Amino acid sequence: MSAPRKAAAKREAPAAKADPRERLRRVLFLVPYAVQHRGIPVKELAAKCGITEKELLEDLDFLLGVGCPPFAPDDFLDLYVEGDRVYVALHQSFSRPPRFTESEAAALGAAAQALGGEGKDRALAALRQSVPRDRRKSFDELMGRLYAGSPPAPGSVLGRLQRAIGERREVRLRYYTATREAESERTVRPWTLAQRFGHWYLYGFDLSRDRPLPFRLDRIRECALTDARFEAPGAAQLSKARLFSEAQGEAVRVRLAPRAAAWAVSRPGVVLVARDEDGGAVVEVPGANEDWATRFALSFGGDAEVIAPPAARRHFAETVRRSLARYR
Amino acid sequence: MQKAERLLDLAAFLLRAAEPVSWREIQEQFPGDYGGSEEAAIRKFERDKAELLELGIPVRWDAQDEDRPAGYLIDRDEFYLPNLELPPEDLVLLYLAGSAALAQGAFPYAKDLAHALNKLSFAARAPGASETAALAARHLSSDDAAPARPGGGGPLAQQLEELSAAVMAKKRVHLAYQGAERRARTERDVDPYGLYQSGSAWFLVGWCHLRRDVRTFHLARILELSVNAAAPRTPDFAVPAGFDLHALATRETWEYAIHAPERCTVRLEGPVSPEARASFGPRAQLREEDGAVVVELVATNAEALLRHVLALERAQVVAPARLRQQARAVLDRLAERLA
C-alpha cells in the first residue's frame, strides 16, 4: 500500500506555490502546533499560519504525501480534519519546530533592540542560543547589519511596563502631555505596545479618562506597578480601539509637491489618494490629528500643505503665520 | 518527487535514524531522487542539505568512531527549538517588539519575523499573557480580519524583503534612484551592506559603484530594484571589517555629508519639551537664555535642519543668515498660498 500512496500523492499533489520554501517553513510549524493543540479549529490554525483555510487544507493534503522510507503506512505523516478541527495521528518526529534560522532570530533581535527594556540583553543572548551552533556567527554578522532604531524610553520605564503587561497589572504613570505642556498622573491598564508614525506608544485603558488611549513612550517620565490586576482586553475591544482612533474624524489630507511626494508616499500609515501628472500627490493620513498633520506637512520644508478637513487646514495656516512672525 | 516533499522526507528519515546514515543507504531509500551519475547525485544531495539548513534543519556528516559508523545525521538536540529560559517580562519584550515591528507593515525579513513569532510560542514554556499582548499589538494595526501577509504589503515592504535577502546573501543590487537634492534619476550598482530605520523611514547602506563610496539610500526614493540573480549562493562582495552601521544609522539628517560643515544656531521659545530638546541629537549643545533654549550644532546638510526646525513648535533658525532667509522665504510662500 505504501508505494501506491506515495505515487498517488505525487499525482494529486497541488500545483507548486510561488515560494515552496515558504510552504516548508510553514508546515514545519503547522505540524507541531497541531500536535500541541489537538483538535485546533481549521480557521484558527490557518490564522496562526497567516494563510487562508483553503491554503491550509492544501498544505494538509501535501503533508499526507510526506513520510520516511520505506514508506510503509505508518511511515507517513497522518493528519486529518474532523468536524472542522485538525488532528495529527502520526507526526514522524515533527513534534517541535526547528531552531530559529539566523534571519528569523536577527529580525526578532533587531526588533527587540529597537524596543529595548531591562531584559533586552538576556533576550538577545537566548535568541542567539536558539540558532543552530554553526549559524551563530552568521546571526552575529546579520545583527550588525540591521538597525531598527534606538530604544524609545529609559530601560527602567520599559522594563516595568513589560512586566506590567505580562502580569496584567495596572500602572501609575507620570505623563507629559504635549498639547497642554503639563505632566499628569494617570492610572492605566497597559494592554500592549505599538509603533506608529515612527514613535512607540503604550496602548491601554486610562482609568481616569475611562477610555482606551495611546501614550507616547518617550513622554512617560515614571512608571510604577500597582497590585491591581485586570483582565486581558477582548479582540473586539482591541480592534475597535485602534491607535489614534479617538481623534479620528475625517482623515487629514495633505498635498505634496513632486519632491515631497517622492519621500512621503511610501511612509507607513500614509495613503495615496491621487497622483498629479507632474509627480506631486495628495495623501491621506487616517487617524492623525491636526497637530501631527501640521508637523508632517512642515517637515517637507514648503513642499507640502494640509488641505482638509477645514479645521486641520486652519490649524496649519495659523501655525505657518505664527512661525513667520518669528522671522520678522 | 517534488523537492519540497523530498526535503521533508529526508528530514523525517534522518530524524528517525538511530545512528548516522551512509550515503549509500540514502541513495537506496531515495532511488528516484539521487540516481543518475554519482557526481550529479551528490551535488543534488548537497543542495538539499543546504536548503534544509536554511530552514533551520542542520544535517551534518559524522565521522566514524568506536561506537558509530560514519554517515549523515540530524542531531536532535541541534534540530529542535529549545525552551528559552527567560523570565516572563523578557518574553513580553520579544513578543511585543516582534509583533509591533510586523504591524508596521514594512520590516526587514518580515516573513522570517512572522515565523519567529510563531516559533516563540513553542520556545516560551508558558507564554500566556505575553502572547496576548503581542496579539493585541497585531490587532491594533491590522485593518481587516484576513490573515496578515508579512512582506506581502506595499511596494516598500516588497523592497525591504528583496533587500533583506540581498543583504544576507551578499548579492549586488541594481537601483534606479531619485536623488534628494538634484532630483535626478540615476542608475547604479550597490553592494548592500545593511538596512536601518530612522523615524518611520528605512535606509539602505552600501558601496555605491557609481560614486565609489559608501552611500545611504532612502528606500522611498528607490524607483526600481533588481538583485543579481546569477549564482545565488555565491556572495558578490565582502563587507569591510570596519563597517559600522550603527554610527551611520544614528546620524541626524542634517549630519548627512552634503556640504562643508557649517555652524548653525536654533532658538526654541519656552517652555521647551524634553523631546524637542532631545530631537537635536547627542552632539548638539543646548543652553538656556531668557526662558528660551538656544541650540548650537554643526550641519553638513542645512536643508534638512531647516525642515526639522520648521516642523517644531516655537522654533526658529537664528544663524547662518542664509538659512534664516530661506526659512522665511518658505514660510512666506506658504502664507501667500494659504491667504
Side-chain angles (χ1 to χ4, degrees), chain B residues 203-277:
Chain B
F203 297 85
L204 164 72
V205 182
W207 177 263
C208 174
H209 288 262
L210 181 70
R211 304 286 181 231
R212 307 195 58 75
D213 196 4
V214 173
R215 288 290 167 109
T216 300
F217 302 93
H218 193 296
L219 259 63
R221 304 186 85 89
I222 296 178
L223 306 171
E224 280 162 35
L225 165 72
S226 60
V227 181
N228 177 22
R233 290 183 195 282
T234 312
D236 292 334
F237 61 90
V239 182
F243 174 68
D244 185 356
L245 180 74
H246 187 265
L248 286 167
T250 50
R251 282 183 313 175
E252 307 297 336
T253 49
W254 52 87
E255 292 173 328
Y256 290 5
I258 305 289
H259 56 62
E262 186 174 24
R263 184 157 280 280
C264 300
T265 309
V266 175
R267 185 180 167 92
L268 307 164
E269 299 301 331
V272 181
S273 71
E275 68 198 59
R277 286 168 181 267

Side-chain angles (χ1 to χ4, degrees), chain A residues 21-303:
Chain A
R21 184 166 174 260
E22 198 52 30
R23 163 176 268 184
L24 282 173
R25 299 174 75 187
R26 196 163 63 227
V27 300
L28 284 166
F29 165 77
L30 183 163
V31 176
Y33 197 80
V35 170
Q36 198 184 45
H37 299 85
R38 191 180 148 72
I40 184 172
V42 169
K43 194 176 172 184
E44 205 179 304
L45 187 56
K48 186 84 187 162
C49 296
I51 51 174
T52 63
E53 290 175 48
K54 184 171 170 281
E55 284 168 322
L56 175 67
L57 294 175
E58 282 174 9
D59 278 355
L60 296 181
D61 268 352
F62 159 76
L63 285 168
L64 287 177
V66 170
C68 70
F71 299 112
D74 281 358
D75 294 329
F76 283 95
L77 265 162
D78 197 1
L79 312 89
Y80 59 96
V81 177
E82 197 175 274
D84 280 342
R85 288 172 177 273
V86 181
Y87 297 88
V88 182
L90 291 169
H91 57 65
Q92 304 301 343
S93 300
F94 295 119
S95 54
R96 236 181 123 73
R99 284 170 172 259
F100 289 119
T101 65
E102 62 263 43
S103 46
E104 288 169 356
L108 197 48
Q113 285 274 28
L115 175 57
E118 286 170 337
K120 187 188 74 185
D121 294 337
R122 282 192 301 263
L124 287 173
L127 277 179
R128 188 177 190 278
Q129 287 300 313
S130 305
V131 172
R133 199 176 298 126
D134 56 358
R135 306 300 279 189
R136 286 180 197 153
K137 206 173 144 225
S138 169
F139 163 79
D140 294 340
E141 198 199 322
L142 211 47
M143 281 297 291
R145 300 174 68 194
L146 265 186
Y147 179 83
S150 54
S156 57
V157 167
L158 271 169
R160 275 175 227 150
L161 269 182
Q162 283 154 9
R163 194 152 53 244
I165 290 169
E167 293 173 7
R168 296 199 193 118
R169 284 165 67 179
E170 289 175 6
V171 289
R172 259 198 300 279
L173 305 179
R174 196 155 63 75
Y175 187 66
Y176 172 81
T177 310
T179 44
R180 283 196 306 279
E181 285 161 3
E183 285 185 356
S184 56
E185 295 279 337
R186 311 288 189 93
T187 303
V188 176
R189 291 177 177 156
W191 286 349
T192 191
L193 303 181
Q195 203 181 11
R196 184 101 193 253
F197 303 138
H199 294 291
W200 280 93
Y201 293 85
L202 160 68
Y203 196 73
F205 192 85
D206 185 333
L207 289 168
S208 46
R209 305 287 189 278
D210 198 31
R211 59 192 162 130
L213 282 173
F215 299 88
R216 240 177 84 164
L217 284 193
D218 59 354
R219 291 179 183 160
I220 297 176
R221 302 278 175 260
E222 271 170 34
C223 167
L225 271 70
T226 72
D227 290 329
R229 308 266 169 166
F230 63 90
E231 286 295 311
Q237 203 174 2
L238 280 166
S239 54
K240 260 189 284 175
R242 298 254 162 85
L243 274 182
F244 299 102
S245 58
E246 295 298 315
Q248 198 166 354
E250 201 181 326
V252 172
R253 281 192 174 206
V254 177
R255 180 184 297 286
L256 301 151
R259 192 163 85 147
W263 291 94
V265 292
S266 301
R267 282 205 201 171
V270 173
V271 181
L272 180 65
V273 176
R275 178 74 85 168
D276 298 339
E277 273 180 15
D278 65 356
V282 173
V283 296
E284 264 185 10
V285 190
N289 62 23
E290 296 165 4
D291 227 29
W292 188 90
T294 292
R295 285 199 304 276
F296 174 72
L298 285 173
S299 74
F300 294 103
D303 283 339

